[in-house]
Amino acid sequence: MTSLKLKTNINGLNGKITIPGDKSISHRSVMFGSIAYGETKVTNFLPGEDCLSTISCFRKLGVIIEESDNQLRIIGKGFEGLTEPTEVLDVGNSGTTIRLLMGILAGRPFFSSLVGDESIGKRPMTRVTNPLSEIGARIDGRKDGSFTPISIRGGGLKPVNYHLPVASAQVKSALILAGLQAEGQSIIIEPEETRDHTERMIKKFGGEIHKDNQNIMVKGGQKLTATSIHVPGDISSAAFFLVAGAVIPDSEIVLKNVGLNPTRTGIIEVMKKMGADLEIVQNEETSFEPFGDLIIKTSSLKGTVIEGDLIPKLIDEIPIIALLATQAEGTTIIKDAEELKVKETNRIDTVVNELKKLGAKIEATEDGMIIYGKSVLSGGTVSSHGDHRIGMMLAIAALLCENEAELVNPEAISVSYPNFFAHLNSLIK
């Protein structure tokens, strides 16, 4: 396992960067292009390891996918065009790939097996396998289908009628994808609104899906039609530079082409609530996913409480929000975030432990954390624990450190942001 000496104690960040394509939308563009009829073209695709795992899986299912300079050409033949794989489908580190793919495979009348890396092997799958089994898919796996490897023999699905026990876009999306293949209308009820990229994607590909409060209704038997997709920049990736620009003195950063889907902008809401000097320049172009530019300047921040229905809108940003809170005056409390325990790592414990190593005053709770500002960060050796978002958060934290800082396993960052360090170095004075 390698380590990297991080830049520390810098004198400001200035410049412009174009944020790479949104990971969630990149995954879904491959999936929907594969199950639609015709040729789908995708621009600004994110060539991170997670999204490349999705491409690999669909190629093994018989789909022709061509890659060139962050662009894709996908030849889809509908759900019926997917063929039984002769190899195990390896999702790598990608929770989105395995959970959404299970929803697709649940409706296909053939056998397939899914596996992932060590991290995926620890992540619970019953939240998807249980409801898919209830509607007719035959699923097995380690510990009664709780963990990978997972095997699926699909087909003959009944409509989905399911109340999600936790707010999860991945589980919701898996059930929607299964519902598209079931006979009749499916209803999925989510306790709180989660990111709606799957619903927007269905409409973009000419399908129908309806929402009534928290009830999502989708009819089976729809035929989706190929289209062109431009992937906006990933706000979860932008979040690291938003926080960096806010907490590092003498900084001003312009972030170009950032997705502004309202189910994903919790980070913006929190930063404004904490007093960040943040400007949004909305793009006027019509797009199935809104996007624009963000301008962030060094800010005077104050602590806050982050809870309730805001959590699903920023679940992936909580590690970097924790760092933000270490540089705010007063106490910040994050709660209702139990979902963090089943991400690439237990992100509650990992964030708290790694920031403590750098000198932050922070403690874990059952459903979140308490951060006491304002902390002076000293330095030290920290680890990504194989989690891309932890790795990027620690690289930003190091910029504030007074002494040397070193990151173990920086390679994890390439999962979602392969050119993260190049972008960061371009901003340092």
Side-chain angles (χ1 to χ4, degrees):
M1 194 173 293
T2 64
S3 65
L4 177 70
K5 290 274 196 295
L6 297 171
K7 297 280 178 70
T8 59
N9 199 22
I10 66 161
N11 298 313
L13 296 170
N14 292 90
K16 296 180 182 181
I17 55 175
T18 299
I19 296 298
D22 186 280
K23 187 155 77 86
S24 296
I25 299 171
S26 292
H27 279 303
R28 287 162 174 80
S29 69
V30 174
M31 295 181 183
F32 278 90
S34 297
I35 61 177
Y37 288 89
E39 180 181 315
T40 290
K41 292 183 177 177
V42 183
T43 54
N44 200 40
F45 176 80
L46 174 69
E49 290 177 11
D50 275 11
C51 297
L52 296 178
S53 293
T54 295
I55 288 178
S56 172
C57 288
F58 278 90
R59 283 176 172 158
K60 290 177 182 176
L61 290 165
V63 182
I64 295 171
I65 303 174
E66 298 173 358
E67 288 174 77
S68 175
D69 296 329
N70 300 351
Q71 298 186 45
L72 301 181
R73 177 174 172 264
I74 306 166
I75 310 300
K77 297 179 182 177
F79 282 109
E80 297 79 11
L82 301 179
T83 57
E84 184 169 86
T86 57
E87 301 175 62
V88 171
L89 303 175
D90 188 346
V91 306
N93 185 249
S94 179
T96 299
T97 305
I98 191 166
R99 291 190 173 125
L100 273 62
L101 186 51
M102 282 196 284
I104 292 172
L105 295 173
R108 304 324 311 141
F110 54 65
F111 176 83
S112 51
S113 294
L114 298 121
V115 72
D117 68 5
E118 183 181 357
S119 168
I120 285 291
K122 297 174 183 174
R123 297 178 71 175
M125 295 297 152
T126 49
R127 54 179 58 186
V128 178
T129 58
N130 284 351
L132 291 178
S133 298
E134 287 174 16
I135 62 171
R138 286 171 283 171
I139 301 177
D140 202 358
R142 190 163 51 88
K143 295 193 176 178
D144 294 325
S146 298
F147 300 99
T148 57
I150 296 283
S151 66
I152 301 177
R153 187 173 290 280
L157 298 183
K158 298 179 291 186
V160 180
N161 193 329
Y162 192 71
H163 197 301
L164 293 174
V166 294
S168 168
Q170 290 180 358
V171 179
K172 172 184 70 173
S173 296
L175 297 179
I176 289 172
L177 288 161
L180 284 170
Q181 303 172 80
E183 292 186 15
Q185 178 169 274
S186 291
I187 301 174
I188 298 113
I189 305 157
E190 51 181 351
E192 289 146 5
E193 186 178 47
T194 60
R195 57 184 66 178
D196 65 353
H197 301 305
T198 297
E199 296 94 311
R200 288 172 181 262
M201 196 74 76
I202 286 174
K203 292 176 181 177
K204 178 69 172 170
F205 279 84
E208 289 186 20
I209 187 164
H210 303 284
K211 187 168 184 180
D212 179 13
N213 294 320
Q214 305 311 111
N215 299 337
I216 299 163
M217 291 151 283
V218 61
K219 286 185 179 177
Q222 297 186 52
K223 292 196 172 183
L224 304 177
T225 305
T227 187
S228 294
I229 297 286
H230 174 73
V231 181
D234 197 324
I235 194 167
S236 294
S237 297
F240 298 95
F241 292 103
L242 287 175
V243 168
V247 300
I248 293 167
D250 301 319
S251 294
E252 181 174 348
I253 307 172
V254 180
L255 304 173
K256 308 286 290 181
N257 181 47
V258 180
L260 296 173
N261 182 308
T263 64
R264 294 281 299 283
T265 51
I267 179 71
I268 291 175
E269 292 178 47
V270 165
M271 290 188 72
K272 287 194 166 183
K273 189 177 175 185
M274 294 176 74
D277 186 350
L278 172 59
E279 181 185 350
I280 302 170
V281 183
Q282 183 91 32
N283 190 292
E284 296 303 323
E285 284 182 34
T286 55
S287 171
F288 82 109
E289 290 277 359
F291 64 98
D293 298 343
L294 302 177
I295 304 166
I296 183 69
K297 299 176 185 177
T298 303
S299 309
S300 178
L301 303 164
K302 59 182 185 295
T304 189
V305 177
I306 304 165
E307 62 184 333
D309 58 7
L310 192 55
I311 294 295
K313 295 170 73 173
L314 48 65
I315 193 71
D316 285 334
E317 288 75 72
I318 286 178
I320 194 64
I321 288 172
L323 174 63
L324 179 76
T326 69
Q327 303 305 302
E329 296 292 344
T331 302
T332 295
I333 300 171
I334 300 171
K335 50 189 178 180
D336 302 323
E338 299 95 332
E339 186 72 6
L340 286 175
K341 293 181 177 180
V342 292
K343 289 290 186 177
E344 283 83 339
T345 57
N346 178 333
R347 282 189 180 154
I348 292 176
D349 289 347
T350 307
V351 167
V352 168
N353 292 339
E354 295 304 310
L355 282 176
K356 272 185 175 177
K357 291 178 186 176
L358 296 177
K361 297 168 188 168
I362 180 171
E363 62 186 60
T365 63
E366 270 301 303
D367 63 347
M369 55 193 85
I370 302 171
I371 306 106
Y372 305 95
K374 187 174 180 181
S375 291
V376 174
L377 302 185
S378 52
T381 299
V382 288
S383 173
S384 72
H385 294 269
D387 187 326
H388 55 124
R389 300 197 197 280
I390 301 292
M392 286 185 278
M393 180 272 287
L394 293 169
I396 299 300
L399 302 176
L400 294 159
C401 288
E402 296 179 337
N403 303 307
E404 190 174 86
E406 186 172 352
L407 176 64
V408 176
N409 193 5
E411 308 86 44
I413 291 169
S414 64
V415 159
S416 65
Y417 204 151
N419 52 353
F420 171 77
F421 284 109
H423 279 177
L424 180 58
N425 290 336
S426 75
L427 298 172
I428 295 174
K429 291 179 180 178

